[in-house]
Amino acid sequence: MYTGLLIGFLFAFLMKRSRLCFAGSLRDIYMKKKYDGIKFIFIIFSLQGLCYFTFLTFGIIPKNEEVQTFSLFATILGSFLFGLGAVFANGCSVSMLIKAGDSRLNGLVALLSFLITVFSAKSGLLSIIVKKAKTVGRISDNYSNECFNYFIYLYLILAIVAVYIVVKEIRKPNKLSSIEFPSEFTGIRHILFEKIYNKYVVVLILGILAGFSFYLSHIAGREGSWGITTPLYTWANFILTGENKLNWASFFVLGIILGGFVVGQLSNEWRLKVGDAKSVLYQVIGGFLLAFGAVMAEGCIVGFAMTGLAMFSLQALIGVISIVLGIWFGAYMLYKRK
């Protein structure tokens, strides 16, 4: 379980020190015509997928032989709502956890809204709507089982391309590198808690960590890698009912919050930040849409764009496309429509 805490901590640490936001980078495809977001996701799921199918091929983790199906309707609608919520919350569920850890009121409000909604969508009144939606248009998602023997070679090729992209990007001249900013810290503290890391190097590391997490989660008694929504539900369920279903991923999300707190403290960024009434309202709406959409779709940016694509899931591919469309629609409504 404690490896989940450590991996979550490292995830938050790398996200904060690189100023990386997946929802923001996907939004910038529409807003600024910058395509880094696609590259980030490709790099992570390619490396994670290579790890996953390597572990399966050599019997390090078990293969899931169950017939997998999903609701096309619920996946598209839920993912779209999740993407829309990411715009209202100014970040996805990962950013929400990091903001909550480093004391930003907006992040805490979004997290509270998310926890209440995810509990209701899985066990309360909203669960009726979710269950009904999931019965509509169910289709198969068993392609990874049907073509299993070929995927290790496919992801090997994708991983080579991903590494090539990283090397190419980090060799580009950085216009900001010649600008000297005053440093508050020196030595190790400057390197760990003040220096801004290259985003492409960070996503390379994240892909490897996410891939290795399949093994760490397995030895802790849980199959899978990174996830946010269901692990947060285990905490909400534990707090509200006392039922203990905490697992490796539960400690993973706790590690993200802890990482946001520690890095915020040691980088002197931890301070109570209170937004205006409008921004707080947006966080409530964003937290609701993030949670409701993720439960309905059975995934989020982390669950679909990283873990799901790494496992060659059709549902994940459809979910990612729908999330991106939701983010772009939200960006149009909130920023470009005027």
Side-chain angles (χ1 to χ4, degrees), residues 260-273:
F261 172 77
V262 172
V263 177
Q265 285 279 357
L266 295 178
S267 60
N268 278 354
E269 295 175 357
W270 197 98
R271 57 184 61 87
L272 187 62
K273 306 175 188 73

Side-chain angles (χ1 to χ4, degrees), residues 26 51 110 144 167 176 187 215 225 267 301:
L26 292 173
C51 293
S144 61
V167 173
L176 296 178
Y215 172 71
S225 180
S267 60
I301 286 181

Side-chain angles (χ1 to χ4, degrees), residues 41 45 49 53 155 303-313 316-318 320:
I41 289 173
F45 88 73
F53 283 103
Y155 280 93
F304 281 156
M306 299 178 197
T307 303
L309 290 180
M311 299 170 73
F312 202 81
S313 164
L317 177 60
I318 294 171
V320 170

Side-chain angles (χ1 to χ4, degrees), residues 74-96:
T75 300
I76 293 174
L77 178 59
S79 298
F80 185 88
L81 292 175
F82 179 91
L84 183 60
V87 179
F88 275 96
N90 197 27
C92 66
S93 44
V94 175
S95 299
M96 173 189 70

Side-chain angles (χ1 to χ4, degrees), residues 42-181:
F42 174 79
I43 292 165
I44 292 177
F45 88 73
S46 298
L47 294 168
Q48 188 179 5
L50 177 61
C51 293
Y52 173 68
F53 283 103
T54 300
F55 290 152
L56 286 180
T57 300
F58 290 96
I60 298 173
I61 61 176
K63 182 181 176 184
N64 186 359
E65 301 288 355
E66 294 182 12
V67 176
Q68 303 293 322
T69 63
F70 68 95
S71 166
L72 185 61
F73 170 76
T75 300
I76 293 174
L77 178 59
S79 298
F80 185 88
L81 292 175
F82 179 91
L84 183 60
V87 179
F88 275 96
N90 197 27
C92 66
S93 44
V94 175
S95 299
M96 173 189 70
L97 293 175
I98 294 173
K99 290 175 185 177
D102 66 12
S103 80
R104 277 176 273 185
L105 178 64
N106 285 359
L108 293 168
V109 170
L111 179 58
L112 180 60
S113 175
F114 189 99
L115 288 172
I116 294 172
T117 305
V118 78
F119 184 82
S120 179
K122 280 184 172 286
S123 307
L125 292 175
L126 292 176
S127 64
I128 301 171
I129 301 173
V130 171
K131 290 176 182 176
K132 185 67 176 177
K134 288 183 179 181
T135 63
V136 180
R138 296 198 69 83
I139 60 176
S140 173
D141 195 11
N142 259 30
Y143 303 100
S144 61
N145 285 341
E146 295 168 4
C147 307
F148 168 75
N149 293 329
Y150 301 100
F151 283 121
I152 188 171
Y153 304 108
L154 171 63
Y155 280 93
L156 176 60
I157 295 171
L158 295 179
I160 292 172
V161 174
V163 173
Y164 170 76
I165 292 173
V166 173
V167 173
K168 183 179 178 181
E169 290 292 338
I170 63 178
R171 292 180 65 181
K172 286 182 178 179
N174 185 356
K175 296 179 181 179
L176 296 178
S177 61
S178 60
I179 302 175
E180 293 291 335
F181 294 98

